[in-house]
Amino acid sequence: MRTAYLDNNATTAIAPEVREAMEPYFAAEYFNPSSAYERAMPAAQAIKKARETVAGFLGGVDPSEILFTSCATESLNAALYGAVRANPARRHVVTTAVEHPAVLEICKDLARSDLDVTFLPVDRSGNLDLRTFIRALRPDTLIVAVMHANNETGVIFPVEELARIAKETDPAILFLTDATQTAGKLPLDLRGTMSHVDLLAFSGHKLHAPKGVGALFVRRGAPLRPFMIGGHQEGGRRAGTENVPYIAGLARAVELAWADHVATEARIRRLRDRLEAGLLASVPCVEVNGQGAARLPNTLNISVHFIEGEGILYQLNSHGIWASSGSACTSGSLEPSHVLRAMQVPFTAIHGSVRLSLGRYNSDGDVEHTLEVFPRVVANLRRLSPYWDPARDRPRPEAEAMLQGA
Ligand code: PLP
């Protein structure tokens, strides 16, 4: 059966070059990088080199500003709880209503432990309002946590500008961005356009490194209490024997991502645009979530009115097409996505959302297969929908009225 992996925002395949770079540290170079004898030197060297590579990838920051972690979630926990513990006098946090749970749930936890948290709303396209952001900043604001791009819709936030505004308002405000969906896709220039960002997190497995490794950039001087203690590793800021093979893999992955990112991005964008235009042309009553906003070139979040996204995914799966429906499927609940709810996607469409996310290993064939299967899947499901008139391939009149009101 022909298959198409269209869930690259969930995770990516490990690149063969990455596997190759990791291999020696599983085998001959298994030593503890902290050991004092010469034979352990290659392991220590691999970490040093990886730190330099990631520092270069982030715009040439100082290698000492890079911490290796186990994933973006750990990096975000370390950043947020570390900032709160280091700055007890400041009690206000600003974030957005559409963050990944790795930030959202921490912020809810902070709100429960008597910090004040502002969750910024987004508009129908998924954009933030700059004036609302400026009004949210307060004299006791400790940290702003705004994602670089949304994992469900691909909508990109202007974190460069938000960070600049926050610093101009009060240089002591820390600015954290979750760059998990942008690392390897968009430039992360922490000495240039992102020079006002203090903290940046990402995960290896979104850019063809394995799951279980991530990084946190901490700008020199940013006050942060270590989140994991109990060892001297990572300058005492993240204890625990380093995962040498995975760190070497992460460094190789960022090298690969950056080596050809312009050509790869253009190719992926062309595939995504072809998919998007094809689906809009062949499936009636659909909308693109995030339409009108700046979006990642690889992501298409499409809502199909009057049917369930889970049903679409199930049937796509039986045709070898692997996609996701955002947060609902990962949580195993039937609750619609918090991101789409924040965007006020109408109720006729919010349950029918599907996220198709492409990556460097996708081809025109994957797009053609999906364009062939998706409209048939939707037509089959709509035949069962009380709102749909299959004879006219349109909503029934009462459902049309719901659409007008939507
Ligand atoms: N932040 C964003 C935007 C994500 O998309 C994800 C994963 O989907 C995470 C954080 C968490 O990444 P991890 O599970 O690798 O810690």
Side-chain angles (χ1 to χ4, degrees), residues 310-327:
E310 301 301 314
I312 302 174
L313 292 181
Y314 186 76
Q315 293 210 12
L316 288 178
N317 173 58
S318 63
H319 289 91
I321 298 169
W322 302 314
S324 89
S325 65
S327 63

Side-chain angles (χ1 to χ4, degrees), residues 78-324:
L80 281 159
Y81 287 115
V84 168
R85 293 181 64 215
N87 304 276
R90 291 195 172 223
R91 309 302 293 164
H92 178 233
V93 176
V94 177
T95 190
T96 79
V98 296
E99 296 296 306
H100 185 274
V103 167
L104 209 53
E105 293 302 320
I106 298 172
C107 288
K108 288 184 192 165
D109 185 51
L110 294 175
R112 283 190 294 271
S113 57
D114 92 13
L115 270 89
D116 210 0
V117 183
T118 302
F119 296 92
L120 296 169
V122 293
D123 66 15
R124 189 68 184 79
S125 300
N127 284 321
L128 289 170
D129 176 50
L130 272 189
R131 272 168 310 181
T132 309
F133 172 72
I134 293 166
R135 275 200 301 272
L137 300 173
R138 306 193 323 209
D140 65 338
T141 302
L142 161 66
I143 188 164
V144 174
V146 175
M147 68 200 320
H148 195 192
N150 189 274
N151 46 301
E152 291 187 33
T153 59
V155 170
I156 300 169
F157 285 149
V159 291
E160 297 85 349
E161 193 180 358
L162 300 176
R164 183 184 52 75
I165 292 170
K167 289 288 174 188
E168 281 172 8
T169 306
D170 176 355
I173 295 176
L174 290 168
F175 195 98
L176 163 67
T177 191
D178 173 2
T180 307
Q181 291 296 343
T182 52
K185 297 180 193 138
L186 301 181
L188 301 176
D189 186 0
L190 287 155
R191 275 166 62 96
T193 50
M194 286 191 158
S195 62
H196 298 292
V197 170
D198 300 292
L199 301 154
L200 178 144
F202 69 95
S203 232
H205 70 102
K206 311 285 185 183
L207 70 157
H208 304 288
K211 292 148 204 65
V213 65
L216 175 65
F217 162 78
V218 183
R219 195 173 290 284
R220 186 176 298 149
L224 213 64
R225 280 273 293 278
F227 179 67
M228 295 228 316
I229 54 174
H232 57 85
Q233 294 88 355
E234 303 291 299
R237 294 174 298 167
R238 196 275 186 181
T241 304
E242 300 89 336
N243 189 345
V244 187
Y246 280 47
I247 290 171
L250 177 65
R252 188 71 187 103
V254 304
E255 270 174 4
L256 280 177
W258 219 236
D260 62 355
H261 79 277
V262 175
T264 305
E265 188 206 303
R267 200 176 64 77
I268 293 174
R269 184 187 293 279
R270 185 181 58 73
L271 293 178
R272 192 278 310 268
D273 289 351
R274 193 177 159 206
L275 187 60
E276 182 169 319
L279 291 181
L280 287 176
S282 59
V283 186
C285 270
V286 289
E287 55 187 273
V288 173
N289 294 311
Q291 184 81 280
R295 280 186 296 145
L296 287 176
N298 77 317
T299 306
L300 169 59
N301 188 311
I302 192 160
S303 269
V304 184
H305 285 266
F306 304 119
I307 50 175
E308 295 283 334
E310 301 301 314
I312 302 174
L313 292 181
Y314 186 76
Q315 293 210 12
L316 288 178
N317 173 58
S318 63
H319 289 91
I321 298 169
W322 302 314
S324 89

